[in-house]
Amino acid sequence: MIEKEIGEIRRTLIFDKTAITTIHGCYVNGNREIISTFEQAVGMMPEEEVEKYLALFKKVLSGTAEKNLIDVAFTSEQVQDSEEHRLLMALKNSELKDKEAVDKFFKLVTESLAMDENYVILLTYNVYDVPFRASDGRRVDAESNGVYSYILCSVCPVKMTKSALTYDATDKSFHPSTVASAIAAPAMGFLFPAFDGRQANIYDALFYTGSAEEAHEDFISAVFRAKAPMTAAEQNVIFRTVLAESLEESCSFNVAKKLHKQICERVVEHKESKSDEPLSVSKYQVREILEDCGVKEEKLESFVESFDEGFGKGTDLAPKNIVDVKRFEVRTPDVVIKVAPDQTHLIETRVIDGTKYILIRADSGVELNGLNVSIEG
């Protein structure tokens, strides 16, 4: 799913626009034991309560694509005949009215997911009458592009609130409030089926992780019978390792600086183009940058081979997963230097009398612990 499609479905979770009628839940303790299950009719809830539930579901459709939001694909064999796909379709097609399927899903998640604290599994069903959009993107309400129905799952930790002094209007004073259990932001969740090309795609689900460093392999394996995609954090570590080990001494400050700069420039250009398609970087594009930096052919071939070993042949990476497009950081054991990515020209390296230095251009505006200072000649 592209960002526009994710945003379009997120907007179906607004209080006065949503078609959600019920919310199903399963409260689980840290020992994987179900404490209780519940089904709440949205029409019987106060607006404020509904808004809080919708916020938890909207969170599952937020974050960065390919970092927090990851496509999970089913094989043709799974779609044709598999227990995991049949269960998801039963949940969707029954509009969560198939109690046996709902209970089976809760049991499946509970048995596979271990968390250090209590958590709640929230499940809902929604229907969206997809409006037709002209080639220029203009919405045409008089025409419909079909109906998209989907299920949303949100898995949220339940945390104990701290006791605090709260104001009591009846006696105009403060009193200690009681400790209570409160639902926190989702740790994971998913949308099924995916909304690709503004229509349902039963071959895909959109998985959400609250942390780019957590793959939630047990959950993905149990629910989708699929291998968990490599996390953004894992991609970053592997990419840096591939560069360092394949280039060896050729992995210089200037080479790394130019690679970072050019990838950041591509991100900016893609954003300015307003393209709907997500940006990706291939091993050959990285190789081209390295070659332009003067890296020798044998090192370039070593990089390509190591890239395939680390990520698999034919794999492209999201730029934001391999470089920090908002920060350029140089670190030594004793010093850390941070500059904006578009100001990397302010930093260079020199060897003076056999000693290596990192030089920072400082023409004006120099401060030391907040004090404006001058630099002596």
Side-chain angles (χ1 to χ4, degrees):
M1 289 176 65
I2 62 176
E3 290 185 4
K4 274 189 177 180
E5 293 166 340
I6 296 170
E8 186 171 354
I9 299 306
R10 190 165 54 240
R11 288 189 291 273
T12 68
L13 300 173
I14 297 173
F15 177 76
D16 56 356
K17 293 182 179 180
T18 188
I20 291 176
T21 58
T22 56
I23 294 171
H24 297 256
C26 179
Y27 187 30
V28 186
N29 66 23
N31 296 321
R32 305 188 188 187
E33 299 168 336
I34 295 177
I35 299 172
S36 65
T37 59
F38 57 88
E39 178 182 347
Q40 292 182 265
V42 170
M44 302 296 290
M45 291 190 225
E47 181 177 340
E48 182 182 0
E49 188 175 340
V50 177
E51 290 280 12
K52 290 186 182 298
Y53 275 113
L54 292 178
L56 294 172
F57 285 117
K58 276 193 282 191
K59 188 66 177 177
V60 174
L61 297 175
S62 62
T64 304
E66 298 186 66
K67 181 172 285 188
N68 303 99
L69 297 166
I70 305 164
D71 285 317
V72 177
F74 292 99
T75 64
S76 298
E77 292 75 15
Q78 282 180 296
V79 174
Q80 290 171 6
D81 184 28
S82 71
E83 185 176 350
E84 60 275 10
H85 200 271
R86 278 198 304 272
L87 176 58
L88 293 174
M89 290 298 293
L91 293 170
K92 183 187 82 71
N93 291 339
S94 70
E95 302 177 12
L96 297 181
K97 294 175 182 176
D98 184 339
K99 189 177 185 305
E100 183 179 344
V102 172
D103 289 342
K104 185 176 182 180
F105 176 79
F106 285 153
K107 183 179 179 182
L108 179 70
V109 174
T110 302
E111 291 178 347
S112 66
L113 183 60
M115 296 182 73
D116 295 332
E117 53 204 340
N118 292 6
Y119 65 91
V120 63
I121 310 164
L122 299 175
L123 198 59
T124 196
Y125 167 86
N126 200 10
V127 178
Y128 174 44
D129 190 3
V130 185
F132 178 78
R133 292 193 184 277
S135 57
D136 60 0
R138 181 172 47 86
R139 175 171 171 155
V140 183
D141 291 325
E143 299 183 49
S144 173
N145 205 40
V147 174
Y148 168 63
S149 58
Y150 63 91
I151 57 172
L152 256 179
C153 174
S154 180
V155 180
C156 309
V158 175
K159 300 181 181 294
M160 300 302 292
T161 59
K162 294 182 179 179
S163 178
L165 291 172
T166 57
Y167 184 69
D168 188 340
T170 57
D171 61 5
K172 299 180 181 180
S173 61
F174 287 83
H175 301 284
S177 63
T178 57
V179 176
S181 300
I183 297 178
M188 70 199 81
F190 69 88
L191 166 80
F192 176 82
F195 186 61
D196 288 328
R198 303 188 70 239
Q199 58 186 359
N201 176 10
I202 62 173
Y203 284 81
D204 265 327
L206 184 69
F207 179 75
Y208 166 82
T209 174
S211 169
E213 298 180 354
E214 294 187 46
H216 302 295
E217 295 179 10
D218 292 342
F219 182 91
I220 291 177
S221 177
V223 175
F224 306 115
R225 291 289 190 272
K227 183 180 178 181
M230 191 179 294
T231 65
E234 289 173 328
Q235 289 181 31
N236 187 282
V237 170
I238 292 175
F239 183 73
R240 286 189 278 112
T241 301
V242 166
L243 279 175
E245 294 183 354
S246 60
L247 300 190
E248 297 179 316
E249 73 282 353
S250 297
C251 190
S252 67
F253 179 87
N254 288 330
V255 167
K257 177 180 170 181
K258 186 169 184 178
L259 178 61
H260 185 277
K261 180 181 178 182
Q262 291 207 16
I263 292 178
C264 287
E265 287 175 349
R266 294 185 186 204
V267 172
V268 172
E269 290 170 2
H270 181 265
K271 184 176 182 179
E272 292 176 347
S273 72
K274 298 182 179 180
S275 172
D276 289 339
E277 293 302 316
L279 178 65
S280 62
V281 176
S282 70
K283 62 187 175 187
Y284 297 112
Q285 290 173 319
V286 177
R287 185 190 190 280
E288 184 180 340
I289 297 172
L290 297 176
E291 185 176 20
D292 190 45
C293 292
V295 176
K296 294 181 180 179
E297 183 64 29
E298 60 266 26
K299 299 295 185 184
L300 297 175
E301 291 305 314
S302 176
F303 166 77
V304 171
E305 291 175 8
S306 298
F307 187 100
D308 286 341
E309 291 174 4
F311 297 104
K313 292 184 177 181
T315 301
D316 292 342
L317 304 176
K320 293 180 180 180
N321 290 357
I322 57 176
V323 300
D324 190 335
V325 298
K326 296 181 179 180
R327 183 184 64 176
F328 184 83
E329 179 180 293
V330 182
R331 183 182 292 270
T332 73
D334 301 308
V335 178
V336 178
I337 305 168
K338 297 180 182 180
V339 298
D342 60 349
Q343 298 295 319
T344 58
H345 61 279
L346 297 176
I347 300 180
E348 58 181 274
T349 56
R350 290 273 181 89
V351 178
I352 304 174
D353 296 332
T355 302
K356 298 174 183 177
Y357 291 91
I358 298 172
L359 303 183
I360 307 170
R361 197 168 77 204
D363 296 325
S364 61
V366 179
E367 293 184 3
L368 194 160
N369 293 335
L371 174 66
N372 290 322
V373 296
S374 61
I375 297 178
E376 300 171 347

